[in-house]
Amino acid sequence: MKINFFHIDELAEKSGTPLSTIEAWVSDGIFIPDGKASDSTPIFSIESLKTIEKIKSLIDVGYDNPEIKKIIRKVGLPSENPKKTSNEKNSYLTVGTLAEKIDVSPRTIKHWEEKGIIEPDLRSQGGFRLYRDYYVLFCNLIKDLQLFGYSLEQIKTISDFFRDFIGIRDNMEVADTETVDFKLEAMENEIQLLFKKTGQLKNGIRRWEDLLKKQRKQISALKEKNKKRVNRGETDEN
């Protein structure tokens, strides 16, 4: 399992630094998180371990937090990305937030991940997973495919095509020309199949809309007819 970020409590344990100390550094602005989860939890990269050591070294020689903040503002820390500021945090979605946004259970998100359909952008040592915003659209597309009658295995194939496409688009020179051509041809074929499927669904939706409109009118007419029967019965009784 690739570990590419730490929760603040994991970072405290890994660095041997009290959690309260790290929280104070963050609050004082001398230790900037690399991003935050959708529940506002700060997250930290592996490089943050080096940053902690640099901060500790400054404390060891007698600097306090305000002085360290001035040093960072003026010259930065050797292990710190000089472009990183508190206004440049990346935001990620937790499993729960992603599930809520697309109206499924967190277990569904985990199941899709187990099937290899989706992959978290970040994963912590404790198994905590985070996703970028684009997964809201991607997961809604998965739901659409399920409505189209696609199995999870078929959806996995399509999601693999998406990943292959991104890989080819960004690093075409890495693969040989025959492999690239084969994969692109397969993608085109899948697109044609999806076009055909969506066309059939559109026709089916139109048929059902026409039927439902007629049925609703007929039901309204029958309700009115039945109402007249009731009124007539009441008149006869009088």
Side-chain angles (χ1 to χ4, degrees), residues 57-124:
S57 67
L58 291 174
I59 292 174
D60 288 342
V61 297
Y63 290 103
D64 59 17
N65 284 4
E67 291 171 326
I68 293 173
K69 187 174 182 179
K70 289 180 182 178
I71 292 172
I72 292 174
R73 189 184 300 120
K74 289 181 179 180
V75 299
L77 292 170
S79 63
E80 187 180 38
N81 183 345
K83 294 183 180 180
K84 185 173 70 174
T85 69
S86 58
N87 294 324
E88 293 177 329
K89 297 177 184 177
N90 294 313
S91 182
Y92 297 90
L93 303 175
T94 62
V95 172
T97 301
L98 177 59
E100 183 179 354
K101 283 181 175 288
I102 65 169
D103 195 26
V104 300
S105 70
R107 179 59 199 151
T108 296
I109 300 294
K110 293 176 182 177
H111 185 56
W112 289 346
E113 185 184 326
E114 290 166 0
K115 289 290 186 180
I117 295 172
I118 63 175
E119 296 177 352
D121 292 290
L122 296 178
R123 187 189 297 268
S124 79

Side-chain angles (χ1 to χ4, degrees), residues 7-46:
H7 245 274
I8 192 168
D9 53 345
E10 295 172 335
L11 184 65
E13 180 181 356
K14 189 73 174 178
S15 65
T17 308
L19 176 60
S20 59
T21 298
I22 295 179
E23 289 175 334
W25 291 348
V26 172
S27 178
D28 290 343
I30 66 173
F31 188 33
I32 307 301
D34 292 271
K36 65 178 180 178
S38 51
D39 59 1
S40 298
T41 302
I43 58 176
F44 303 87
S45 69
I46 306 298

